[in-house]
Amino acid sequence: PLVLFTFFREDHSLAKWGITIKKVNKLSEALGKDGWLIINIYPLRIKDVSEIDQIENKEFILYNRKFMSNLFKKYNVKTVWAAWGDKVFESDFLKKELKILLNRIPVNVEWITIGEITRKGNPVFDGKSLKFTKMKPFDIKVYLKKHYR
């Protein structure tokens, strides 16, 4: 399956989720994948990123880490769509958690992104102009070196 690795906030409505799911499904089919999964960096959806340091839920965090590690083993994931945006760097916790999760992903997966990279170097979910022709490789090793020296 295709894995979308992202950070969705609570302000994403159900209508936006529906559109997101349709687009993820289309990309998964275009890549010849047999399905897709979405991994949210923080398993609780929150409205304001600045609140996350106060509501950090250790039980959810540990479950999310374990779930993600098992996911790659169980489903033999080969492609990860990087799309977390700049919001993760507005919280020390999210930045740290992103690094922990990225380091749990097997090194042999193919990383892709769609659309532009932000000025800060983060891949985003380009839902408005999602065209598969904009799909390009994403060098996770370079990303980790740049953001986590």
Side-chain angles (χ1 to χ4, degrees):
L2 171 69
V3 169
L4 170 59
F5 192 71
T6 191
F7 177 66
F8 281 113
R9 297 176 315 278
E10 191 177 278
D11 58 348
H12 286 87
S13 67
L14 289 177
K16 284 184 182 178
W17 264 107
I19 292 167
T20 299
I21 289 169
K22 285 180 186 175
K23 290 179 178 183
V24 173
N25 194 46
K26 281 184 182 179
L27 179 59
S28 178
E29 288 175 359
L31 292 173
K33 303 296 181 187
D34 60 355
W36 52 269
L37 299 151
I38 297 175
I39 297 175
N40 203 13
I41 294 168
Y42 186 67
L44 281 178
R45 291 174 59 204
I46 57 167
K47 211 169 219 167
D48 185 355
V49 174
S50 65
E51 296 173 0
I52 202 161
D53 294 321
Q54 289 84 39
I55 60 170
E56 200 177 302
N57 185 314
K58 300 228 184 290
E59 184 180 334
F60 285 148
I61 294 164
L62 294 174
Y63 177 84
N64 203 42
R65 289 175 186 171
K66 184 177 179 181
F67 173 82
M68 198 180 89
S69 295
N70 291 336
L71 172 94
F72 283 86
K73 292 174 192 164
K74 182 176 180 179
Y75 293 103
N76 196 25
V77 173
K78 298 290 185 204
T79 307
V80 178
W81 176 1
W84 48 82
D86 288 338
K87 288 284 183 188
V88 296
F89 286 89
E90 292 178 16
S91 158
D92 290 338
F93 163 76
L94 284 176
K95 184 177 179 182
K96 179 185 80 173
E97 192 62 18
L98 175 62
K99 180 182 179 186
I100 290 167
L101 293 174
L102 289 175
N103 283 313
R104 288 176 172 251
I105 295 175
V107 295
N108 62 334
V109 300
E110 171 192 25
W111 284 86
I112 61 169
T113 190
I114 295 177
E116 300 303 315
I117 303 296
T118 68
R119 287 185 189 141
K120 295 178 181 178
N122 292 302
V124 295
F125 181 87
D126 188 4
K128 292 179 183 162
S129 63
L130 185 61
K131 296 196 179 6
F132 304 136
T133 55
K134 290 184 169 188
M135 187 174 63
K136 55 190 168 202
F138 183 73
D139 192 330
I140 197 66
K141 290 176 185 171
V142 169
Y143 180 85
L144 286 168
K145 282 180 187 173
K146 178 180 178 184
H147 292 285
Y148 298 100
R149 296 177 196 179

